[in-house]
Amino acid sequence: MYETMTYTGGVHKHYEMEELIEDLGGFILQKNESQLDITLTIAIPSEDTDKIEKKAKELLGAVEVSPLASTEIAVVSPTLAHQHLPHAACDIAEYMRRYGTKTNMIGLARGAGKGIAQINKEEKDLIEEHDLAIFSLGSFEECIRKKKFLFEDINIPVIVTGSPVIDADEINANAYIEGFGRIPRRLKRGENIRALRKLANTAETIISKQKEDLNDDPLIISPVIVKIAIERNVPEVEHVNSPMAIVSQLDGVRVKLPYDKFHEEIENVVVEGYRLGDIAEIKKSKMYDHILVKILPETAII
């Protein structure tokens, strides 16, 4: 089992951290350099996290567990038009990225009013490709309660945000975070930052619970290992014009290559002696015809 962590430190001698990660059998998921600082999002065998912490202290850097790293979260708004000002949704998406997750903003086709708000099957399927969904709603309690049909049958955990105080159980959500709503400005005030922190902490708690559930019936192969194997065996990945050509999820990966052209090549990638097509469900994503790889649990091949 791999633990995802974020290391932040100086460029000087950072290669020592990278060498240690490789020696421990870990992986660098993402690397960001900014002048004299460097940030590494890494996956390390759980039993070796203390060695990373010791090395970080030696290099005068900092390391922390990042439960949201290697996850993909959908930030959903009934619409991205002026009726639901996108400032809150945009700031939520940007803030969550600081915790290592990949966020995608999704605006529903018909959400301008509570009387005509809808969600169709294609939108629902797209949302369910993610590990977690955050529904960014408005400022009116009655409106939020009536729009609960947008998410109450979504088959992944759902966090709802809005302005009034509402019990999550009353709207059939996994969690509800107040302090958002229709805010026609950036979320930079103290109360907004506190609400964003609460949202991130709640998301981390839900993701951690999902990881515990996966431990009861582990995946055949870790998504981190599948990601590295695809990067090494499918050279076209290097030419993808995207900051993250392969996005790790809790139970698989999203490969940003056209399904019709590359799905057979992905299926034939060999990972630790397994042909990927034999241990994973590989299907066309609802997002830009990407390739979605969902790894099967160990009980699937017994």
Side-chain angles (χ1 to χ4, degrees):
M1 186 65 183
Y2 287 86
E3 189 76 69
T4 51
M5 309 180 77
T6 300
Y7 166 76
T8 304
V11 173
H12 180 61
K13 288 190 176 183
H14 76 275
Y15 62 87
E16 293 186 10
M17 176 62 77
E18 295 182 359
E19 290 174 352
L20 176 61
I21 293 167
E22 184 178 353
D23 292 343
L24 295 175
F27 304 97
I28 297 175
L29 303 178
Q30 193 170 351
K31 179 178 179 179
N32 295 316
E33 294 188 36
S34 176
Q35 294 181 345
L36 299 179
D37 296 323
I38 189 166
T39 300
L40 302 176
T41 302
I42 62 179
I44 291 293
S46 300
E47 62 272 17
D48 293 324
T49 56
D50 57 326
K51 297 181 177 66
I52 295 295
E53 293 170 352
K54 182 179 178 180
K55 174 57 74 171
K57 186 176 181 180
E58 177 186 326
L59 297 177
L60 303 180
V63 65
E64 59 182 358
V65 175
S66 301
L68 295 184
S70 295
T71 63
E72 190 173 30
I73 294 177
V75 180
V76 187
S77 177
T79 172
L80 295 181
H82 68 279
Q83 289 91 347
H84 292 86
L85 293 172
H87 296 79
C90 290
D91 283 350
I92 287 172
E94 188 276 332
Y95 188 82
M96 296 301 290
R97 293 187 190 112
R98 301 181 187 181
Y99 289 77
T101 188
K102 170 70 170 67
T103 56
N104 297 314
M105 290 189 63
I106 300 173
L108 304 182
R110 301 176 184 86
K114 63 183 178 182
I116 63 172
Q118 296 180 28
I119 181 170
N120 59 37
K121 185 180 184 304
E122 185 173 0
E123 291 169 336
K124 181 175 179 291
D125 290 344
L126 174 57
I127 293 169
E128 289 178 344
E129 290 181 3
H130 297 74
D131 297 307
L132 173 70
I134 299 174
F135 275 73
S136 176
L137 300 185
S139 301
F140 303 105
E141 181 176 344
E142 180 185 1
C143 184
I144 295 174
R145 291 184 183 277
K146 286 194 173 183
K147 284 186 175 179
K148 68 180 182 179
F149 69 88
L150 294 175
F151 50 79
E152 60 185 352
D153 63 343
I154 297 289
N155 293 324
I156 60 171
V158 171
I159 300 175
V160 178
T161 68
S163 180
V165 177
I166 300 176
D167 190 305
D169 293 334
E170 295 177 8
I171 57 174
N172 298 323
N174 294 82
Y176 175 84
I177 309 296
E178 68 274 3
F180 293 95
R182 276 192 190 180
I183 303 176
R185 54 173 173 77
R186 297 296 305 276
L187 303 183
K188 292 185 176 181
R189 297 179 182 175
E191 64 271 19
N192 304 140
I193 300 300
R194 287 189 288 273
L196 286 168
R197 287 175 180 166
K198 184 178 180 180
L199 174 60
N201 291 337
T202 302
E204 288 184 342
T205 300
I206 292 175
I207 292 293
S208 296
K209 178 61 168 61
Q210 289 178 279
K211 290 181 178 180
E212 292 177 6
D213 293 342
L214 282 175
N215 288 336
D216 295 335
D217 187 9
L219 302 176
I220 298 171
I221 298 291
S222 168
V224 173
I225 296 177
V226 171
K227 176 180 183 292
I228 300 300
I230 294 174
E231 288 175 341
R232 291 175 177 173
N233 291 278
V234 184
E236 290 81 3
V237 168
E238 298 181 5
H239 305 294
V240 173
N241 187 22
S242 172
M244 297 181 70
I246 303 179
V247 180
S248 297
Q249 300 177 332
L250 287 177
D251 59 351
V253 297
R254 179 191 301 280
V255 185
K256 297 180 180 179
L257 290 172
Y259 176 88
D260 293 335
K261 187 175 181 180
F262 291 101
H263 74 94
E264 291 184 358
E265 188 172 353
I266 297 295
E267 291 170 0
N268 290 322
V269 170
V270 176
V271 188
E272 295 193 349
Y274 295 102
R275 176 179 172 271
L276 190 54
D278 295 333
I279 61 168
E281 180 184 2
I282 299 176
K283 56 186 179 179
K284 181 184 291 188
S285 169
K286 298 293 183 181
M287 183 184 298
Y288 305 120
D289 294 332
H290 292 161
I291 302 171
L292 201 62
V293 179
K294 292 295 185 180
I295 305 165
L296 299 174
E298 290 180 353
T299 55
I301 59 172
I302 294 178

